[in-house]
Amino acid sequence: LGPIGVFDSGVGGITVLKALKATFPQENFLYLGDTARLPYGTKSPKTVFRYLTQNVEYLKQYDVKAVVVACNSASSVLCPHHTFGVPVYGVIQPGANAAFAKTRTGRIGILGTRTTVQSQVYVKALKNLDPDLFTIQQACPLLVPLVEEGWENDSITTEIIVKYLEEMKQQNIDTLILGCTHYPVVKETIQKVMGEHVQLIDSADAIAEDLANDIAQGFLTFRPEHGGRIDVLATDDGAFFHHIASKLMNPFSINSWEMADLRQVPEKRLYEDI
Amino acid sequence: LGPIGVFDSGVGGITVLKALKATFPQENFLYLGDTARLPYGTKSPKTVFRYLTQNVEYLKQYDVKAVVVACNSASSVLCPHHTFGVPVYGVIQPGANAAFAKTRTGRIGILGTRTTVQSQVYVKALKNLDPDLFTIQQACPLLVPLVEEGWENDSITTEIIVKYLEEMKQQNIDTLILGCTHYPVVKETIQKVMGEHVQLIDSADAIAEDLANDIAQGFLTFRPEHGGRIDVLATDDGAFFHHIASKLMNPFSINSWEMADLRQVPEKRLYEDI
């Protein structure tokens, strides 16, 4: 059996990969960052679904035993009726479950990209758990470029977060879903602006728990022999991606980097000798 | 002879299309916005060149007589030795020429995306005109998402522009190239921050002049019968794109909108009856 595939539009999903690695240290992981087409969060559901399908098909060529869609925008177009021939895990349901488990007042906020917010996936998942939950959403399109600019500690970023959270602060929520893999990078500022009484939900931890449950229940096979590799593919070439990915992955290290051309069948060199 | 093709990674190139329409009101134009893969300005030259080639090939299927690359990042990877089988115009050289014509002190600033700045194309084009010119560049990656968020008049945008221009203001430049099609939207703020003595160069006007020169010199055929159409293609589907494109194009109107799938040969319906 091959590795667990993890994909994201860019570097943000590395936070999910890190949580998975911490939970399953002996497992092999193959990460695909679709950096040539990022971001997904501003694109139409139709286009994002096309990208999702291509990425899953590409990863399947490495005999992945499962695919974790770390990207919220791509997870938002995952449909339970569509089968990929391999188990595909999105971050939405685990995030909604974690928020539902933590809330005491039943008032939950959701931050996400434009695509995720417009799709209402978190709202639907939460209302499915309990139709009486109160939900409020806010799209934060500038947080991704701010994080990628490296301005996470700049006062301008705080100002922008204050502006985005203005309405949400009026709504007395006690739980806030960070519905984008980039947002944990500015978690502390969000916590400060919202106040300590609001619990932040990071989907990275939630998805790792979800997989652990499925493994415990026998839904997903887990055979850790020869394991522990982390291989990273990206559709674009960039030193910046390597730099940020290594930083986010710390203290774990990445075994190999390669460029992925989604138009071509990969050579599968990575797992030949396993 | 078919239309003049114009392409950009997104909606910004509409400012170039508008300048072309104003200069050649009887010409047919076919605009392609590669909205499914935007932005280009954060991606590697190799990937941007692949996108450029695909877009030109796609437009050629409509028998375009020339292609104007409105995108600075894509223009930055245009190489004079690469022929596409159709005249391809980039925005860099006309922008550099216009700046060179306007400067009195020989001190020129350049604002652009990360890709454009790293490629140093403007610097090279200017030094080619006169090796003694002083140049200073600044990458402004946040301006594109700010404009796309519709925050062009927000005080946060002014703050970010002040921060980006901090070093440039110390350098006594008298001419500043707006090296990205999105930047003219925040032209007034840039002008205010730099002061009235600094002349801003908008590549939209420069490229229109460039084409007019080539037509006048007979390098480019111009036959305006049956003309005046503006047709717009985009690789992603989005109401937002239509909204912004129509606003930027005003007072001119757009004759048709269509989605372009770059993997397929287009049906060429648009120009069948011309």
Side-chain angles (χ1 to χ4, degrees), chain A residues 64 159 194:
Chain A
V64 289
E159 255 183 89
M194 291 306 294

Side-chain angles (χ1 to χ4, degrees), chain A residues 35-39 43-44 47 50-51 114 141-142 146 149 151 154 156 159-160 163-164 236-237 263, chain B residues 35-36 38-39 43-44 47 50-51 114 141-142 146 149 151 154 156 159-160 163-164 236-237 263:
Chain A
T35 47
R37 303 189 290 195
L38 69 81
K43 283 151 198 173
S44 72
T47 292
R50 180 157 63 87
Y51 292 171
R114 216 176 267 142
L142 285 167
L146 280 165
E149 181 74 328
W151 285 15
D154 196 284
I156 284 174
E159 255 183 89
I160 288 176
K163 186 169 161 145
Y164 277 142
D236 193 15
D237 193 14
R263 298 162 305 172
Chain B
T35 49
L38 69 80
K43 282 151 200 172
S44 71
T47 293
R50 179 156 63 87
Y51 292 171
R114 214 175 271 142
L142 285 166
L146 281 164
E149 178 77 328
W151 285 16
D154 196 284
I156 285 174
E159 255 182 88
I160 289 175
K163 186 171 161 140
Y164 277 142
D236 193 17
D237 191 16
R263 297 163 306 171

Side-chain angles (χ1 to χ4, degrees), chain B residues 182-194:
Chain B
H182 280 79
Y183 299 173
V185 179
V186 286
K187 206 175 185 166
E188 284 174 37
T189 309
I190 293 173
Q191 187 78 69
K192 216 174 284 170
V193 173
M194 290 307 294

Side-chain angles (χ1 to χ4, degrees), chain A residues 102-121:
Chain A
K102 290 239 174 133
T103 186
R104 291 178 183 198
T105 61
R107 299 180 72 83
I108 300 173
I110 301 128
L111 305 180
T113 62
R114 216 176 267 142
T115 303
T116 302
V117 164
Q118 278 171 3
S119 73
Q120 307 240 28
V121 272

